[in-house]
Amino acid sequence: MDDIVRQAMAKWPNVPHCYGWLALDARGNWYMRDDRVQALGPFPAHKGSMLRHEKLVDFIHRNYDRDDAGRWYFQNGPQRVYIELECTPHVWRIAADGAVTSHTGPLAQPRACFTDEAGRVYLDTDLGIGLVHTLDMALAADAIEDGRWTPLPVSSAELPSRFGFVTSPAAENASARTAP
């Protein structure tokens, strides 16, 4: 996390959290979802505007984390912006040499490989669970064929509970606010 972010958190510790405004798709792209887009419906059916500003995306990557409840967020100065996930909290890129990198940049060490009912490939790593990027499926297939990864079956619906992440903190927050 950036020092300037830590300083802002210390200076303004009681800033309300933000829900529904930022989302991550299955290809590792970030989307800004303003009030109008949120009113249209949930992510990913209504994505919003893809963020293309390189420095902003880098800032999000450096300040991307999860809380104890498995909700992923971007710490934007003193405000925690919870992320809507299309699929998983990480999208893995596979290099020709087999190295695995998160969409946020850090290298990851795979511990297990999974495939779901749609044939998507997931890796559980030291950084957590993530989906292999669609552009890297040939490299993932090579790793499986070479015996470096042995895929186990998994249902995409069970991923959040099995690996401890929340796909829609906004929906969770709305339910908590409307509960008696």
Side-chain angles (χ1 to χ4, degrees), residues 64-82:
Y64 181 59
D65 205 351
R66 69 181 292 263
D67 67 13
D68 292 338
R71 298 173 300 187
W72 286 80
Y73 64 89
F74 155 54
Q75 190 67 45
N76 184 25
Q79 187 170 53
R80 185 170 285 188
V81 179
Y82 283 102

Side-chain angles (χ1 to χ4, degrees), residues 47-107:
K47 288 191 172 186
S49 302
M50 185 165 56
L51 298 180
R52 298 182 189 276
H53 191 280
E54 192 174 312
K55 289 186 181 201
L56 174 58
V57 170
D58 289 344
F59 182 62
I60 293 169
H61 288 173
R62 289 192 312 272
N63 297 285
Y64 181 59
D65 205 351
R66 69 181 292 263
D67 67 13
D68 292 338
R71 298 173 300 187
W72 286 80
Y73 64 89
F74 155 54
Q75 190 67 45
N76 184 25
Q79 187 170 53
R80 185 170 285 188
V81 179
Y82 283 102
I83 310 296
E84 298 294 294
L85 301 172
E86 180 175 356
C87 192
T88 58
H90 291 280
V91 177
W92 304 124
R93 297 307 311 258
I94 314 298
D97 67 359
V100 176
T101 306
S102 172
H103 70 283
T104 60
L107 284 171

